[in-house]
Amino acid sequence: MSTSHSSQSHDSPSPEATLQGPGLHGAGRISDRFWSPRLELVRDVVVPYQWEVLNDQVPDATPSHAIENFRIAAGEQQGTFHGMVFQDSDVAKWLEAVAYLLQHERDETLEQRADDTIELIARAQHEDGYLNTYFTCQAPGERWTNLCECHELYCAGHMIEAAVAYFEATGKRRLLEVMCRFVDHVETVFGHESGQIAGYDGHPEIELALMRLYDATGEPRYLKLCRFFVEERGQLPHFYDLEWERRGRTHHDFGAGTQPFMLHKKTYSQAHAPVHEQDRAVGHAVRFAYLCTGMAQLAQRSDDKALLATCRRLWDNMASRQLYVTGGIGAQAPEESFTTDFDLPNDTVYGETCAAIGVVFLARQMLAAEPDRRYADVMERALYNNVLAGMSLDGQHFFYVNPLEVDPKVLADNPILEHVKPVRQRWFTCACCPPNLARLIASLDRYVVGCADDTAWVHLYIGGEFELPLSAGTLRLHQETDMPWQGAVTLTIGADVPVQARLALRIPAWAEGFEVSLDGERLDAEMSSNGYLELERQWQDGDRIALRLEMPVRRVYPHRALRHDAGRVALQRGPLVYCLEQADNGERLHDIALREGGIVDTLEGTDALSGMTLLRAEALRENAAGEALYRFDDAPTYTRTEAVFVPYFAWANRQEGEMRVWTRELPRRA
Amino acid sequence: MSTSHSSQSHDSPSPEATLQGPGLHGAGRISDRFWSPRLELVRDVVVPYQWEVLNDQVPDATPSHAIENFRIAAGEQQGTFHGMVFQDSDVAKWLEAVAYLLQHERDETLEQRADDTIELIARAQHEDGYLNTYFTCQAPGERWTNLCECHELYCAGHMIEAAVAYFEATGKRRLLEVMCRFVDHVETVFGHESGQIAGYDGHPEIELALMRLYDATGEPRYLKLCRFFVEERGQLPHFYDLEWERRGRTHHDFGAGTQPFMLHKKTYSQAHAPVHEQDRAVGHAVRFAYLCTGMAQLAQRSDDKALLATCRRLWDNMASRQLYVTGGIGAQAPEESFTTDFDLPNDTVYGETCAAIGVVFLARQMLAAEPDRRYADVMERALYNNVLAGMSLDGQHFFYVNPLEVDPKVLADNPILEHVKPVRQRWFTCACCPPNLARLIASLDRYVVGCADDTAWVHLYIGGEFELPLSAGTLRLHQETDMPWQGAVTLTIGADVPVQARLALRIPAWAEGFEVSLDGERLDAEMSSNGYLELERQWQDGDRIALRLEMPVRRVYPHRALRHDAGRVALQRGPLVYCLEQADNGERLHDIALREGGIVDTLEGTDALSGMTLLRAEALRENAAGEALYRFDDAPTYTRTEAVFVPYFAWANRQEGEMRVWTRELPRRA
């Protein structure tokens, strides 16, 4: 994606190789009061810390060994492989985040570090193109023998993503070439010919990565290989069974469940049926989101309407039956998986940061395939709530798991809550979430707008400068806003020549109303059926659109099938979901009940929450009624009080304490 | 305990060896419209089926191998040990239940079967008195090397209980002598002398069994050995560590957790501190209840006030902070354990049938030590709800786990609900609950009354004939009642000569009021501080007390610290806790809300629930509000309806479906 920055690059990536097909998203430059500081945290704190971790330079962290694995694989150091079987992907995600940072701002030291790392990776590549430090160092004879469990193509996928991003950011082709060589090798290994493997990875990722490689290179073989992996999935006889038999029914140990293992593995990794027969979101939540992201890209780039319908069906099940109000997915922790429709427990939830990031990835591809605010609404919900809650305000601590209800007192004594942490952690042995957050925030400019033919969609209201390559010419879009705190957005057009085009502004579902004006003159525009406000005209340099989205506090009520939320309400203002914290409201948050229709007003946050809009709600608090565990015929009484709500993303940035998103609400009259 | 039956026995057990100390409970004969049919189910269905299981005669059940293990241990059959390390206790529990049945009614075939089994057990005993088929057949060199994990003294304890019960029922001393020999051997193995083991069993049971053996034989060495085991528990250096080191840090595998193992084992089995330092119910719920039962017996028989205070402290924590409204304990499934104060989840609960039975055992001993209705109220709550729910109405199916909230739709897809079954099972590999139910129901007569000096306490209102051995002479008490359906009880005295004594009738906490009359004349009696109505006089044959306990439907409200029940209510009538079932109320029971102060009336059950009193409550039902998973500012509306509640013990006897004890309640005005 050709940006103003990439034109400063050493080599010149061919712009025609990027941004193919309708509805794709351009890159830009974020300049936003809310997001820019977070981007800076990623640049100044997260990515440098991550580098230290990868190089085992953090004294109190479990050594990552990830860089050392590459040195050993390259034959430059003695030693054995250490870490997860997918340890290589940590290096890939770091490189990908670095690429996005470099795209925003040159940093010679960082770029040199990345270049050196890429050279190291290149030296770890085998003659035939193969690249994976686990199988090079630890199990050299076992390449491609356990796709189900060993993340071989998953690691390849992440490195491809890094390669494409680094190429797009710097124009440097070194890693891109390394990965094209690897993919060319993969292409010889997989297929239906004799001696080839008709299989696919247990952890989807290669699919979306191949589509990015196809976008970057225009090479149709990559799209074809992606299609192969998507279409093989879940076919019978089942590949997992076949490779399991071939390797003598052994398993790579990463925590088997008690269910019949092979059957379980299939559902867990969305391989229980061919994708076109799947109609529900099942299994490991991150795997699901990554698979569907790749499928949506493939459907859109190859104009495959049946595959797109599959994506839509799976999205709809996820979004309308299995999505937390925070935009999280994955209701159960033991398998980090979906459970079943309308089953969304608030305390035992997994809600992995990576899974919500996967929802953002998938929403972006669905928007590219068919712009509709339902995708953008969910993307925004996930981004501003579950995703953002994954990182502390100081950028130094992270949540893997994002509960909607926590009582720190009960966590230690119940193993089913073992995964829930009441405070963010410095880093993790399985370090997927922090680097994933880093690469998403660093590339957030790619989620804001989309273009196809003569239409540019504005999906997210985030300040910055975005390029809109339209059929009649390229526009620049300058956004200014105080979102998520205020609903006003100013969009200023930059154009070298006037361009006839349609500008489609998303009207979020949370907006109670809106007003739009052009150059100070109010427009009587109507929202189209897909939830966008379409403004068509010949755009001139300096055209200025003022959009005002009404952003009152909304009371969110759950579908009546959501049994964990029955009788409860959540508060939302703009894209932000709010929660109660013990820091403001004392212990026993379950004691607090809002009154139906009670007043909720806003409040300025202070100290750690300075600059944020908090909410203050009329509430009732259950009175003490003696020490009896159970008492007869003595209904609770309530005292009027005020309850303070803080943005969910900002929870656990003060003292350790209780938190709760869904609050009881008492109807006016029963 | 000398009963009218035991006088028919072959040998004559010495009556002075039983019923020592204040407040102990006599045996009797149940003749009760509610309980007699259940006793018959145990006699006609449960115990015969159990015998078939023990002998591997049930085609569709996992072979128990328990009897065969004894044959192999006796050298009468070739083969290897199979089953749990505590498989012997299944035979012991069967024998104990048989003993109680024979005490009620002679059955020559059954008695012959028991006698044969006892002879087999005797032949499996070693020369030195040792008896345990696992360590005899499977690990002959490893006796007493893993007390922490291997249930060696636990199995001994159950066989001692069987021996005492069989002796009391039949007067036959064969098994009693076998077990006395074993205990004499145990006495040489454990102690503080050189070469002895200063340790104790990981699963408490031997303690309460030794107290029963002491009661039956009057032999003070057994009380002393019990005290040794109680007092050693949790001392430092820790016995589990020492024996672990001695056997080379190996574990007997029965499912280790991920927590540091040895530390975990200590809390799990109440060995984390000396018992006098313990102040909370922790660890495995059955172990806790069994340990405290033995401790309470020891405290009472030896007049150990400090130990009694420990029991009271542990009871109070359990009963006032960790007890389900159904009388269940054990809030978490992975360890079958307590979690922490005021943490009582309704759906992920364990609530093992055996643990509630343990609560009944413990309550009985606390009542013996200090009669107070708070113990009897909990005993009754556990018995009529959690315990009784463990068995289907046909006596052929059993619950191990007793949830207070079930939605069958969500069980399969969430591993944290894997232990919850929506229908009772035929039998279990680890078959502890059905035999435990059998022995409790068969011995229920021992829980009804208690005597000490000149006072007889009536703890439970269950029809039958009970002997009251008082200081001034023995009375017979004949109870007639329709409990738990009606609150009227008639108590008729049988006396060969007039006896001056105090009769203390429990006034249950659930009774809103009471009336009592003697021979038709109303008495103006007051309840004493311990919750009993004390009637003192010279009792004559034919004296007739009519007690009427007011038994309206009571609304049960939870302590405000119980976050899972906030805003909810349970219905109780008499000792019975009620629940909603899908069979009467359709799907989505969480949609139903009672109205504060709404009318609840009674209703006759039909079909499977025929003869039971059901409840019908004014209720509101949330209306559908579209298909959106989350909707803005559109508070739920409700339609007036009626909700039908059934006794908790009777749930899951119709179709598979949802169940819920705690129902939302909407206050009259918010």
Side-chain angles (χ1 to χ4, degrees):
Chain A
M1 318 206 173
S2 114
T3 66
S4 54
H5 171 74
S6 67
S7 63
Q8 307 162 2
S9 298
H10 323 271
D11 304 299
S12 180
S14 64
E16 73 282 2
T18 63
L19 263 178
Q20 300 185 17
L24 285 183
H25 308 265
R29 179 184 298 276
I30 300 288
S31 171
D32 183 87
R33 276 179 284 267
F34 185 81
W35 284 104
S36 290
R38 290 180 165 80
L39 191 60
E40 285 157 23
L41 278 179
V42 167
R43 187 191 63 203
D44 300 338
V45 179
V46 183
V47 166
Y49 184 78
Q50 199 180 342
W51 175 251
E52 290 176 21
V53 171
L54 294 174
N55 286 277
D56 310 327
Q57 293 161 355
V58 180
D60 55 344
T62 316
S64 154
H65 217 261
I67 293 290
E68 204 168 307
N69 287 338
F70 276 99
R71 285 208 198 94
I72 296 164
E76 297 167 7
Q77 191 175 317
Q78 293 295 308
T80 53
F81 176 92
H82 281 100
M84 302 288 201
V85 69
F86 48 85
Q87 205 74 355
D88 289 0
S89 64
D90 285 1
V91 177
K93 284 191 233 172
W94 177 82
L95 269 174
E96 190 186 344
V98 166
Y100 300 132
L101 293 178
L102 294 176
Q103 186 155 350
H104 292 301
E105 192 173 3
R106 282 296 285 277
D107 177 331
E108 286 187 21
T109 312
L110 184 60
E111 189 164 332
Q112 189 58 51
R113 185 172 279 175
D115 286 342
D116 291 348
T117 306
I118 287 166
E119 289 305 323
L120 172 63
I121 293 165
R123 293 195 300 273
Q125 185 168 35
H126 291 237
E127 272 304 307
D128 60 2
Y130 185 82
L131 177 64
N132 181 298
T133 72
Y134 172 80
F135 284 97
T136 299
C137 308
Q138 180 90 350
E142 296 170 27
R143 272 193 204 182
W144 314 122
T145 59
N146 191 346
L147 273 292
C148 172
E149 298 169 347
C150 289
H151 295 69
E152 223 161 344
L153 291 172
Y154 168 88
C155 288
H158 274 298
M159 202 59 86
I160 291 167
E161 289 205 88
V164 171
Y166 203 71
F167 164 64
E168 288 172 355
T170 64
K172 294 180 178 172
R173 294 179 172 272
R174 179 69 165 134
L175 188 57
L176 192 70
E177 283 160 4
V178 164
M179 293 316 294
C180 285
R181 265 186 72 204
F182 188 8
V183 173
D184 294 348
H185 172 68
V186 167
E187 215 183 359
T188 66
V189 171
F190 288 85
H192 289 124
E193 301 299 313
S194 161
Q196 286 186 313
I197 300 169
Y200 43 89
D201 204 86
H203 197 315
E205 157 68 23
I206 187 72
E207 300 81 359
L208 70 86
L210 285 171
M211 291 310 301
R212 289 188 74 171
L213 191 60
Y214 166 71
D215 284 352
T217 63
E219 173 53 59
R221 286 190 293 114
Y222 300 148
L223 184 142
K224 201 175 148 220
L225 185 58
C226 170
R227 178 169 294 282
F228 172 82
F229 287 132
V230 167
E231 293 185 348
E232 279 304 303
R233 202 164 199 91
Q235 298 291 350
L236 295 178
H238 204 285
F239 169 62
Y240 293 173
D241 295 330
L242 296 175
E243 65 162 16
W244 182 57
E245 295 291 349
R246 274 199 294 267
R247 67 174 184 267
R249 302 193 167 206
T250 60
H251 286 291
H252 184 87
D253 178 29
F254 58 101
T258 56
Q259 294 157 298
F261 197 68
M262 293 313 295
L263 182 65
H264 160 71
K265 279 282 171 199
K266 293 169 193 167
T267 309
Y268 176 72
S269 62
Q270 299 82 41
H272 55 298
V275 297
H276 68 271
E277 292 176 16
Q278 298 188 24
D279 55 5
R280 290 187 56 252
V282 301
H284 187 257
V286 173
R287 281 169 171 76
F288 169 84
Y290 283 17
L291 174 62
C292 291
T293 300
M295 280 161 50
Q297 284 168 287
L298 175 61
Q300 189 261 335
R301 303 299 191 279
S302 60
D303 198 22
D304 182 338
K305 290 192 170 49
L307 187 58
L308 182 59
T310 291
C311 294
R312 196 186 299 121
R313 196 166 66 237
L314 292 171
W315 170 277
D316 283 346
N317 175 265
M318 176 196 80
S320 68
R321 303 194 160 194
Q322 300 200 74
L323 184 81
Y324 282 91
V325 73
T326 50
I329 54 173
Q332 55 120 318
E335 308 289 346
E336 310 178 346
S337 289
F338 292 97
T339 58
T340 191
D341 289 359
F342 299 116
D343 181 50
L344 296 170
N346 294 304
D347 52 353
T348 58
V349 51
Y350 205 63
E352 187 179 340
T353 303
C354 284
I357 289 171
V359 170
V360 174
F361 293 162
L362 173 55
R364 178 172 182 260
Q365 294 305 332
M366 292 306 291
L367 281 169
E370 46 181 25
D372 191 299
R373 81 164 179 196
R374 67 192 172 127
Y375 303 121
D377 281 349
V378 168
M379 179 164 81
E380 191 186 54
R381 186 180 284 288
L383 181 65
Y384 279 91
N385 299 289
N386 189 309
V387 170
L388 205 46
M391 188 167 89
S392 62
L393 297 176
D394 65 7
Q396 300 191 27
H397 300 85
F398 301 90
F399 276 139
Y400 211 106
V401 167
N402 295 277
L404 283 79
E405 200 169 297
V406 171
D407 182 348
K409 286 192 300 296
V410 308
L411 301 179
D413 295 307
N414 195 342
I416 66 170
L417 296 170
E418 213 171 23
H419 61 293
V420 179
K421 306 292 171 220
V423 289
R424 291 178 184 80
Q425 312 289 299
R426 195 65 180 96
W427 203 260
F428 305 92
T429 311
C430 173
C432 58
C433 295
N436 233 348
L437 264 167
R439 67 185 183 128
L440 174 63
I441 293 175
S443 63
L444 192 60
D445 52 296
R446 297 171 177 225
Y447 296 77
V448 176
V449 297
C451 292
D453 304 328
D454 64 344
T455 306
W457 290 270
V458 181
H459 302 307
L460 295 177
Y461 297 106
I462 292 177
E465 187 94 15
F466 307 92
E467 222 161 287
L468 309 177
L470 295 153
S471 47
T474 292
L475 293 176
R476 289 181 303 280
L477 179 72
H478 179 76
Q479 280 203 57
E480 274 189 280
T481 180
D482 265 329
M483 287 269 284
W485 309 119
Q486 303 298 332
V489 189
T490 306
L491 304 104
T492 310
I493 300 296
D496 296 333
V497 292
V499 173
Q500 180 71 32
R502 190 185 298 117
L503 206 54
L505 308 179
R506 168 171 157 260
I507 305 300
W510 51 254
E512 203 167 42
F514 64 90
E515 272 178 27
V516 64
S517 61
L518 181 62
D519 295 331
E521 190 172 331
R522 177 135 174 216
L523 298 179
D524 198 21
E526 283 199 12
M527 196 171 70
S528 67
S529 62
N530 67 352
Y532 286 75
L533 185 70
E534 295 184 354
L535 307 176
E536 188 165 3
R537 57 175 273 150
Q538 200 173 49
W539 297 97
Q540 316 265 355
D541 192 59
D543 279 350
R544 190 171 161 280
I545 303 161
L547 175 67
R548 201 177 64 75
L549 298 165
E550 282 181 46
M551 197 194 274
V553 179
R554 309 293 301 254
R555 292 170 115 87
V556 185
Y557 292 98
H559 189 290
R560 70 165 172 167
L562 291 173
R563 73 187 189 293
H564 299 95
D565 307 327
R568 305 217 229 164
V569 67
L571 297 183
Q572 183 173 340
R573 180 170 178 273
L576 298 181
V577 173
Y578 281 73
C579 65
L580 291 167
E581 274 202 294
Q582 184 174 332
D584 305 297
N585 303 287
E587 281 193 299
R588 290 189 311 281
L589 299 178
H590 59 267
D591 262 7
I592 296 173
L594 299 194
R595 304 172 67 210
E596 184 189 332
I599 292 169
V600 185
D601 53 27
T602 58
L603 182 74
E604 279 301 297
T606 55
D607 300 325
L609 309 187
S610 162
M612 299 183 193
T613 301
L614 315 188
L615 305 180
R616 179 169 47 197
E618 274 194 304
L620 296 165
R621 187 116 202 192
E622 196 174 318
N623 296 319
E627 288 308 307
L629 192 58
Y630 305 111
R631 63 186 195 273
F632 290 123
D633 298 333
D634 177 21
T637 59
Y638 294 87
T639 301
R640 290 198 180 203
T641 184
E642 283 178 341
V644 172
F645 291 76
V646 304
Y648 175 75
F649 78 78
W651 87 277
N653 277 287
R654 294 174 295 172
Q655 76 219 42
E656 181 178 320
E658 292 179 34
M659 184 278 290
R660 167 171 285 231
V661 169
W662 291 99
T663 309
R664 291 163 59 195
E665 186 182 76
L666 302 181
R668 245 177 287 223
R669 275 197 317 195
Chain B
M1 315 205 177
S2 114
T3 67
S4 54
H5 172 74
S6 67
S7 63
Q8 306 162 4
S9 298
H10 322 272
D11 303 300
S12 178
S14 63
E16 74 281 2
T18 63
L19 264 180
Q20 302 184 15
L24 285 185
H25 309 265
R29 181 183 296 276
I30 299 288
S31 171
D32 183 86
R33 277 179 284 268
F34 185 81
W35 284 105
S36 290
R38 290 179 164 79
L39 191 60
E40 285 156 24
L41 279 179
V42 167
R43 187 190 63 201
D44 301 339
V45 178
V46 183
V47 165
Y49 184 79
Q50 197 178 343
W51 175 250
E52 290 175 22
V53 170
L54 294 174
N55 286 276
D56 310 327
Q57 294 162 356
V58 181
D60 55 344
T62 315
S64 154
H65 216 263
I67 293 289
E68 205 167 306
N69 287 339
F70 277 100
R71 286 208 199 95
I72 296 164
E76 297 166 8
Q77 192 175 318
Q78 294 296 308
T80 51
F81 176 93
H82 281 100
M84 302 288 201
V85 71
F86 48 86
Q87 206 75 355
D88 289 359
S89 64
D90 285 1
V91 177
K93 284 190 233 172
W94 177 81
L95 269 175
E96 190 186 342
V98 167
Y100 301 132
L101 294 178
L102 294 176
Q103 187 157 350
H104 292 302
E105 192 173 4
R106 282 295 285 276
D107 177 331
E108 285 186 22
T109 313
L110 184 59
E111 189 165 331
Q112 189 58 54
R113 184 172 280 172
D115 286 342
D116 292 347
T117 306
I118 287 167
E119 288 305 325
L120 172 63
I121 291 167
R123 293 194 301 274
Q125 186 170 35
H126 292 235
E127 273 304 305
D128 61 1
Y130 185 82
L131 177 64
N132 183 298
T133 73
Y134 173 80
F135 284 97
T136 299
C137 308
Q138 181 89 349
E142 295 171 26
R143 272 193 203 182
W144 313 123
T145 58
N146 191 347
L147 274 292
C148 173
E149 299 169 347
C150 287
H151 295 69
E152 224 161 343
L153 291 172
Y154 168 88
C155 287
H158 273 299
M159 201 59 87
I160 292 168
E161 288 205 88
V164 171
Y166 203 71
F167 163 65
E168 288 171 356
T170 63
K172 294 181 180 173
R173 294 179 172 274
R174 180 68 165 135
L175 189 58
L176 192 71
E177 282 160 4
V178 164
M179 293 316 294
C180 284
R181 263 186 72 205
F182 189 10
V183 174
D184 295 347
H185 172 67
V186 167
E187 214 184 0
T188 67
V189 171
F190 288 84
H192 289 125
E193 301 301 311
S194 161
Q196 287 186 312
I197 300 169
Y200 44 89
D201 204 86
H203 197 315
E205 158 68 24
I206 187 71
E207 299 81 359
L208 70 86
L210 286 170
M211 291 310 301
R212 288 188 75 170
L213 192 60
Y214 166 72
D215 285 350
T217 61
E219 173 53 60
R221 285 189 293 114
Y222 300 148
L223 183 143
K224 199 174 149 222
L225 186 58
C226 170
R227 178 170 292 283
F228 171 82
F229 287 132
V230 167
E231 291 185 349
E232 279 305 302
R233 204 165 198 88
Q235 297 292 351
L236 293 179
H238 204 284
F239 169 62
Y240 293 172
D241 294 330
L242 296 176
E243 65 163 16
W244 182 56
E245 294 291 350
R246 273 199 295 266
R247 67 174 184 269
R249 302 193 167 206
T250 60
H251 286 291
H252 183 87
D253 179 28
F254 58 99
T258 56
Q259 295 157 296
F261 196 68
M262 294 311 296
L263 182 65
H264 161 69
K265 278 283 172 198
K266 293 169 193 168
T267 307
Y268 176 72
S269 61
Q270 299 82 41
H272 54 298
V275 296
H276 69 272
E277 290 175 19
Q278 297 187 25
D279 57 4
R280 290 189 57 252
V282 300
H284 187 258
V286 174
R287 282 170 170 74
F288 170 83
Y290 284 16
L291 174 63
C292 291
T293 300
M295 280 162 50
Q297 283 167 287
L298 175 62
Q300 189 262 333
R301 304 300 191 277
S302 59
D303 197 23
D304 182 337
K305 290 190 170 51
L307 186 58
L308 182 59
T310 291
C311 294
R312 197 185 299 122
R313 195 167 65 237
L314 292 171
W315 170 278
D316 284 346
N317 174 267
M318 175 196 80
S320 68
R321 302 194 160 195
Q322 301 200 75
L323 185 81
Y324 282 91
V325 73
T326 52
I329 53 174
Q332 55 119 319
E335 308 289 344
E336 309 178 347
S337 290
F338 292 97
T339 57
T340 192
D341 290 357
F342 298 116
D343 181 50
L344 296 170
N346 293 304
D347 52 354
T348 58
V349 50
Y350 206 63
E352 187 179 340
T353 304
C354 285
I357 289 171
V359 170
V360 174
F361 293 163
L362 174 56
R364 179 171 181 262
Q365 294 305 332
M366 292 306 290
L367 281 169
E370 46 181 26
D372 191 300
R373 81 165 180 195
R374 65 192 174 129
Y375 302 121
D377 281 349
V378 168
M379 179 164 81
E380 191 186 53
R381 185 180 286 288
L383 181 65
Y384 279 91
N385 299 290
N386 190 310
V387 170
L388 205 47
M391 188 166 90
S392 62
L393 298 175
D394 65 8
Q396 298 190 30
H397 299 85
F398 301 90
F399 276 139
Y400 212 106
V401 167
N402 295 278
L404 284 78
E405 201 168 298
V406 171
D407 183 348
K409 288 192 300 297
V410 308
L411 300 180
D413 295 307
N414 194 343
I416 66 169
L417 296 171
E418 214 171 21
H419 61 294
V420 178
K421 306 294 172 219
V423 291
R424 291 177 184 80
Q425 311 290 299
R426 194 67 180 93
W427 203 260
F428 304 91
T429 313
C430 174
C432 58
C433 296
N436 232 349
L437 265 167
R439 67 183 183 129
L440 175 63
I441 293 174
S443 64
L444 193 60
D445 53 295
R446 298 172 176 226
Y447 295 79
V448 177
V449 296
C451 291
D453 305 327
D454 63 345
T455 306
W457 289 271
V458 181
H459 302 307
L460 295 177
Y461 296 106
I462 292 178
E465 186 95 16
F466 306 92
E467 223 162 284
L468 309 176
L470 294 154
S471 47
T474 292
L475 294 174
R476 291 181 302 280
L477 179 72
H478 181 76
Q479 279 203 58
E480 274 189 280
T481 180
D482 265 330
M483 287 268 284
W485 309 119
Q486 302 298 332
V489 190
T490 306
L491 303 105
T492 311
I493 300 296
D496 297 331
V497 292
V499 172
Q500 180 71 32
R502 190 185 296 120
L503 205 55
L505 309 179
R506 169 171 157 261
I507 305 300
W510 50 255
E512 203 168 43
F514 65 90
E515 271 178 28
V516 64
S517 62
L518 182 62
D519 295 331
E521 191 171 328
R522 177 138 173 212
L523 297 179
D524 199 20
E526 283 198 13
M527 196 171 71
S528 66
S529 61
N530 68 351
Y532 286 75
L533 185 69
E534 297 184 354
L535 306 176
E536 188 164 3
R537 56 174 272 148
Q538 201 172 49
W539 296 97
Q540 315 263 356
D541 191 59
D543 279 349
R544 191 171 161 282
I545 303 162
L547 176 66
R548 200 176 66 73
L549 298 165
E550 281 180 47
M551 199 192 275
V553 179
R554 308 292 304 254
R555 291 170 117 86
V556 185
Y557 292 98
H559 190 289
R560 70 165 172 167
L562 290 172
R563 73 186 188 292
H564 299 94
D565 306 327
R568 304 217 230 163
V569 67
L571 297 183
Q572 184 172 340
R573 182 172 176 273
L576 299 180
V577 172
Y578 281 73
C579 65
L580 291 167
E581 275 202 293
Q582 185 175 333
D584 305 296
N585 303 287
E587 281 193 298
R588 289 189 312 279
L589 299 178
H590 59 268
D591 263 7
I592 296 173
L594 299 193
R595 305 172 65 210
E596 185 189 331
I599 292 169
V600 185
D601 54 27
T602 59
L603 182 73
E604 278 302 297
T606 56
D607 300 324
L609 308 187
S610 163
M612 299 184 194
T613 301
L614 314 189
L615 305 180
R616 180 170 47 199
E618 274 193 305
L620 296 165
R621 188 117 201 188
E622 195 173 320
N623 296 319
E627 287 308 307
L629 193 58
Y630 305 110
R631 62 185 194 275
F632 290 122
D633 298 332
D634 177 20
T637 59
Y638 294 88
T639 301
R640 291 196 180 205
T641 186
E642 283 178 342
V644 171
F645 291 76
V646 303
Y648 175 75
F649 78 78
W651 87 276
N653 278 287
R654 295 175 296 172
Q655 74 219 41
E656 180 177 320
E658 293 179 33
M659 184 278 290
R660 167 172 286 232
V661 169
W662 291 99
T663 309
R664 290 164 60 195
E665 186 181 76
L666 302 180
R668 245 177 287 222
R669 275 196 316 192

